[in-house]
Amino acid sequence: MIKTRPADTHYRPDVDGLRAVAVIPVILFHAGFKFMSGGFVGVDVFFVISGFLITGILAREIADGRYSILEFYRRRARRIFPALTAMTLATLVMGYAILTPQEYIEVAKSAAAVSIFSSNFYFWKSISYFQSANEFRPLLHTWSLAVEEQYYLLFPLLLRLLKVRRRGLGVILWVIAFTSLALAAALVPTKPSAAFYLLPTRAWELMLGGLLAVGQLPAPPSPRAASVGSLMGMGLIAVPMVYYSAATPFPGFAAVPPTIGTVLVIWAGDRGPVAHFLSRPICVAVGQASYSIYLWHLPILAYAGYLVAAPLSTAAALALCLASVVIGFVSLYLVELPFRVPVRARNRNRAAVVAALGIFLTGVISLLIVAGRGLPARLTLEAATIVATADDKQRHHSECMTVDQRIVPPEHACHLGTPGVEPTALLWGDSHSMVTATALEQSAIKRHAAFLFAADADCPPGLGFDIDQSVNPGLTSQLSYRYCAEYNNKMLNVALSAPTIRTVVFSARWTNWRIGESPNPNETVADVRLRDSYGLASSTLANKEKWERGFFALIDRLSEAQKRIVIVGPLPEPTINVPHGLYVERFGFSKPVEPITVAQYRQRHRVILRILQEVVTARRGIVVIWPERALCSVDKCPVVDRGQPIFFDHNHLSVYGARKTSYLYDSVFEIR
C-alpha cells in the first residue's frame, strides 16, 4: 500500500501561499525587472507543488480503493481547460485586431499546440537565429502546462502499475527522478533548449513533490528542525530568483536549489514561521488564483510590449503586473471555479465535457487561422507593404548561411551572379554578409561576373580563435557558434585553393560582442567569448584583442597569397525593429520611428571605424566599402524610403535597402 503522512491528508494553506511565492517572481521576470532576473525558477517551484498535490491525491485514492483514471482526467479537464481556453481565445482575438499575418500565424500555431498540450515541443522547435530573446510569443509560458499534462497523462498509468506490483515503489520513483535529473544535466551544455522544454528533463522536479507526497522522506524529527528546514528552503528558493539570469545553464543542477527548497518548505509542515507567513490570507488568496494569474500575465505583458515597440517603463510594467493579478482573480471566480466546483454534483461530467469541447474548438479556430494565412485581408496596402519587408530574411540568400539547424560548408558555397561564369570573388562573413550578397549579386549581374558565398551567422572572420561553449551554453550550443572556427578555416582554404578567386570580400556585423562593444539597445546582452591559444577571454570586452589578432592574421595570410581584400564597413543600426515600429505606429502607443543621425552612427561604430582606418593605413591595397554613403545624407540615415523600410529588423538591411548600396560594389569585379 502507498503510504501518506497524516499532514498530507488535510488542506495546507501554506502550500497555496507557496504558489504565490512561485507566481509573483515569474511575472516580475517577464515584466523585465532586473532584480528578479532568476524569477523563472518560480515555474520549478510550481512543478514540485504540483507533483506533491496531484501525486498525494492519486496515492490516497489508490490506497482507499477508489482510484479511477477516467475520473482523474475529468478533474484535470475541469481544472485546467476552462481558464486556458479563455486566455488562448482572448490572445487570438487580440491578435486578429493588431498582429501582422505572419505573427498571427505563429500565435495560432502555438495556440493549436496549446490545445493538445504540446506547446513545449512547438517552442523547442520554433525558436530561430533571427528571433531575439524577447521576440513576441504571448503563449510561450504554456510550455510548463504542457510538461505537467504530459506528466499526468503518463503518471497515473505508472501508479496503477505500481499498485499492482507494490514492491520497490520508492526505489522505482527515486530511479526515475535521478535518471531525469542526470539527463537534464547532460543535455544542458549541448541541447539546452531540449533540456529546458521537454518532459524527460523536467520530470524529476514533479517527481520530487510526488516522493514527498507518498512518504519517501521521513517526517521532521522536531518542530525546531521543521522551522530550520523551511527557512533554509525559502532561502534556496529566493537566492536563485535574485542571482540567476537568462545566461544561467538551466535546468540541470542549477534547478536543484529551488526545487529542494520547495521540498523543504512543504516537508516542514504547516507550522512554524514560514508556514505562518505563507498562510496569511493575502498569500493564500494569490496562491489560489495563481493558475489564472500565470495564464494571463504573459499575453498582457507581450501585447503591451508589442504595441509600444520598446522596453516597458517601470511604471507601466508594474501597472501591467497588477492588471495581471486583477484579471487572474476575475478569471478565478468567473471561469475557474464554476467549472471546478459545479453547483450540483451531477453537473461535473457535463462541465468536463464542455471544458474539453472548449479547448478542442480553440484548436480548430487556430488551425483555421493558419490555413487562412493569418487573414491578410485585415491589412491596409501601406501596412501590407511594411509587413512584407519583415520576411526579407527569406528573400536574401539565407540558404547560403549556416544558421539554426543547417550547416552550409564553404566547399559547397553558393555560386551567385551571372550563371555559367567563373567566380572571381569570395564573400565571407556573418548574417550581414547575407545582406551584402544581395547587393553584390546585383552588381555582379550588371557586370557579367560571379562570386562564391557562404556565411556563418554571428561568426566573426578571423583565424586562431573559436567561440567558447562553456560560457552561455544556451546560446553558444547553436550550430553557427560551434561551427565558427571550422568555417573560417574552410573559407581560407577555398580562398587559397580556388584558382579563379582573386578578391575576398569581408562583410560582418563588426560592432558586436566580438570586439567588446555594447549591444544594440533592442537586444539583450549576450555573454559570448572567444578562445584562442592564449586562453579564454575574461569578458566580452576582452574579445576585442583576440578578434583583432585573428582578423589581422587572416588578412596577412590572404595578402601573402596575392589576394585582393575588400572590407565592407558597418551599417547604420536603428535601435528598434524597423518594420515592427512602422507597423505599430498606427495604434498610437509607440513613439514615431526616427532616422539614425550620422553622429549616432559614428558613436555606435567608433571602435571599428578606428580599426578599419588603421587597416587601410598600415596595409596597402585593402579597400573599404562604406554602405552609409548610399544610405545616409549629410546628417541623417533614414530607416524608410518612399514607404519602403530600409531594414528588415534592427540591424539587417532589407532587400530594398541592400539594393540601394549595390553600385558601391561595382569595383569588386574590376579586372586588375
Side-chain angles (χ1 to χ4, degrees):
M1 180 181 295
I2 296 176
K3 298 179 180 180
T4 60
R5 300 201 324 269
D8 295 332
T9 62
H10 66 274
Y11 170 64
R12 294 273 302 272
D14 61 303
V15 175
D16 267 338
L18 192 57
R19 294 179 194 267
V21 171
V23 74
I24 296 302
V26 173
I27 297 173
L28 295 174
F29 168 73
H30 282 143
F33 288 101
K34 293 182 179 179
F35 72 88
M36 199 56 67
S37 60
F40 55 84
V41 304
V43 172
D44 304 85
V45 176
F46 271 129
F47 282 156
V48 177
I49 294 172
S50 181
F52 170 74
L53 294 175
I54 301 300
T55 305
I57 292 171
L58 293 174
R60 288 191 294 274
E61 290 180 349
I62 291 174
D64 296 342
R66 53 188 176 87
Y67 175 57
S68 167
I69 292 180
L70 181 59
E71 179 57 30
F72 171 76
Y73 291 144
R74 285 172 181 163
R75 288 199 304 266
R76 293 302 291 173
R78 296 201 309 270
R79 172 74 173 93
I80 300 298
F81 291 178
L84 180 62
T85 299
M87 180 276 297
T88 307
L89 286 175
T91 301
L92 291 174
V93 170
M94 187 66 174
Y96 178 87
I98 67 172
L99 296 183
T100 70
Q102 186 57 45
E103 290 164 345
Y104 202 29
I105 288 172
E106 294 303 319
V107 171
K109 285 181 179 178
S110 64
V114 167
S115 70
I116 56 173
F117 293 98
S118 62
S119 60
N120 57 331
F121 288 99
Y122 173 78
F123 290 116
W124 167 45
K125 288 295 188 181
S126 67
I127 297 175
S128 70
Y129 169 75
F130 287 105
Q131 290 178 305
S132 62
N134 59 352
E135 191 82 10
F136 176 74
R137 290 188 287 264
L139 296 176
L140 177 62
H141 61 319
T142 61
W143 73 268
S144 63
L145 303 180
V147 167
E148 283 199 25
E149 293 313 300
Q150 290 159 17
Y151 182 86
Y152 290 123
L153 182 67
L154 301 174
F155 192 57
L157 301 175
L158 175 65
L159 285 182
R160 172 66 77 184
L161 177 66
L162 294 178
K163 177 189 183 287
V164 173
R165 298 186 177 181
R166 292 191 181 182
R167 297 179 181 179
L169 168 64
V171 173
I172 292 173
L173 296 182
W174 279 113
V175 167
I176 293 173
F178 277 115
T179 301
S180 174
L181 174 58
L183 181 62
L187 288 182
V188 162
T190 58
K191 302 287 184 182
S193 186
F196 189 89
Y197 285 114
L198 301 185
L199 172 63
T201 52
R202 291 289 192 165
W204 67 275
E205 301 181 42
L206 291 117
M207 191 66 76
L208 282 179
L211 287 164
L212 184 60
V214 299
Q216 287 299 305
L217 296 178
S222 67
R224 180 178 178 81
S227 295
V228 171
S230 62
L231 287 169
M232 289 178 58
M234 288 298 288
L236 289 172
I237 294 170
V239 171
M241 288 179 172
V242 175
Y243 287 101
Y244 284 6
S245 71
T248 302
F250 203 85
F253 292 125
V256 170
T259 51
I260 294 299
T262 307
V263 168
L264 285 172
V265 172
I266 299 173
W267 168 82
D270 55 1
R271 297 180 181 178
V274 171
H276 178 71
F277 170 78
L278 294 176
S279 299
R280 291 178 178 273
I282 183 63
C283 293
V284 173
V286 172
Q288 290 174 340
S290 60
Y291 174 59
S292 277
I293 294 171
Y294 180 78
L295 284 179
W296 287 95
H297 85 279
L298 192 57
I300 291 171
L301 290 167
Y303 274 115
Y306 180 91
L307 288 171
V308 301
L312 296 170
S313 68
T314 300
L318 283 173
L320 291 167
C321 290
L322 179 60
S324 301
V325 173
V326 172
I327 293 174
F329 274 100
V330 172
S331 174
L332 171 67
Y333 287 106
L334 296 186
V335 181
E336 275 195 72
L337 293 181
F339 280 87
R340 285 170 56 190
V341 190
V343 176
R344 298 179 182 178
R346 65 174 180 268
N347 289 341
R348 290 174 182 170
N349 289 344
R350 184 183 301 171
V353 171
V354 172
L357 284 174
I359 201 71
F360 172 76
L361 289 175
T362 301
V364 171
I365 292 169
S366 301
L367 293 176
L368 289 174
I369 293 169
V370 175
R373 299 182 180 179
L375 311 179
R378 298 174 293 124
L379 302 186
T380 64
L381 179 60
E382 179 185 7
T385 300
I386 293 171
V387 165
T389 306
D391 293 328
D392 274 6
K393 55 182 172 288
Q394 306 300 334
R395 299 184 184 97
H396 289 299
H397 287 288
S398 59
E399 77 278 4
C400 306
M401 180 169 65
T402 294
V403 66
D404 296 333
Q405 303 302 314
R406 180 187 69 241
I407 289 179
V408 179
E411 59 268 28
H412 297 150
C414 295
H415 180 289
L416 302 179
T418 306
V421 173
E422 290 289 342
T424 59
L426 174 68
L427 177 57
W428 182 336
D430 58 16
S431 61
H432 276 220
S433 67
M434 175 191 71
V435 169
T436 299
T438 298
L440 193 61
E441 182 178 37
Q442 185 168 318
S443 177
I445 292 173
K446 181 172 62 178
R447 301 183 73 84
H448 305 287
F451 64 99
L452 297 179
F453 170 54
D456 187 9
D458 233 357
C459 174
L463 298 177
F465 60 75
D466 61 5
I467 295 175
D468 183 80
Q469 294 173 44
S470 65
V471 180
N472 199 359
L475 181 63
T476 56
S477 65
Q478 293 180 17
L479 278 177
S480 56
Y481 291 105
R482 287 191 281 130
Y483 190 61
C484 184
E486 185 177 352
Y487 164 80
N488 281 326
N489 289 329
K490 287 187 173 182
M491 285 294 280
L492 178 61
N493 183 60
V494 171
L496 297 179
S497 62
T500 62
I501 298 298
R502 297 190 296 269
T503 303
V504 177
V505 181
F506 290 107
S507 176
R509 193 180 182 195
W510 308 108
T511 302
N512 206 339
W513 52 265
R514 63 179 64 100
I515 60 170
E517 288 290 275
S518 299
N520 187 302
N522 192 260
E523 299 171 313
T524 53
V525 177
D527 186 6
V528 182
R529 304 187 204 170
L530 301 181
R531 179 184 291 275
D532 62 8
S533 59
Y534 296 93
L536 174 67
S538 58
S539 65
T540 54
L541 181 62
N543 284 337
K544 178 178 178 293
E545 179 183 358
K546 295 181 182 297
W547 172 76
E548 280 193 71
R549 183 164 50 237
F551 185 58
F552 291 155
L554 174 56
I555 289 176
D556 290 342
R557 286 287 301 277
L558 293 170
S559 297
E560 291 169 3
Q562 304 299 309
K563 301 295 180 180
R564 180 172 172 242
I565 297 171
V566 175
I567 302 174
V568 181
L571 296 172
E573 282 194 15
T575 57
I576 65 166
N577 183 307
V578 172
H580 175 67
L582 294 171
Y583 176 76
V584 299
E585 268 188 352
R586 62 201 180 106
F587 297 114
F589 295 98
S590 62
K591 295 180 180 178
V593 177
E594 300 288 346
I596 306 157
T597 66
V598 171
Q600 289 170 335
Y601 164 77
R602 290 174 179 165
Q603 175 62 23
R604 166 101 179 119
H605 299 298
R606 62 191 183 283
V607 174
I608 190 62
L609 293 177
R610 176 180 55 77
I611 291 173
L612 292 181
Q613 186 60 49
E614 292 174 358
V615 167
V616 173
T617 302
R619 292 167 169 81
R620 282 188 172 184
I622 294 179
V623 175
V624 177
I625 292 175
W626 302 100
E628 88 279 1
R629 292 179 180 175
L631 298 172
C632 305
S633 61
V634 176
D635 60 348
K636 291 183 180 179
C637 308
V639 297
V640 62
D641 179 39
R642 300 175 185 176
Q644 295 280 353
I646 294 176
F647 297 84
F648 74 71
D649 59 9
H650 62 278
N651 69 94
H652 296 90
L653 291 178
S654 65
V655 170
Y656 178 85
R659 287 174 176 167
K660 283 176 66 71
T661 69
S662 66
Y663 73 91
L664 298 171
Y665 298 94
D666 290 349
S667 61
V668 170
F669 303 105
E670 291 177 354
I671 299 175
R672 298 192 177 188

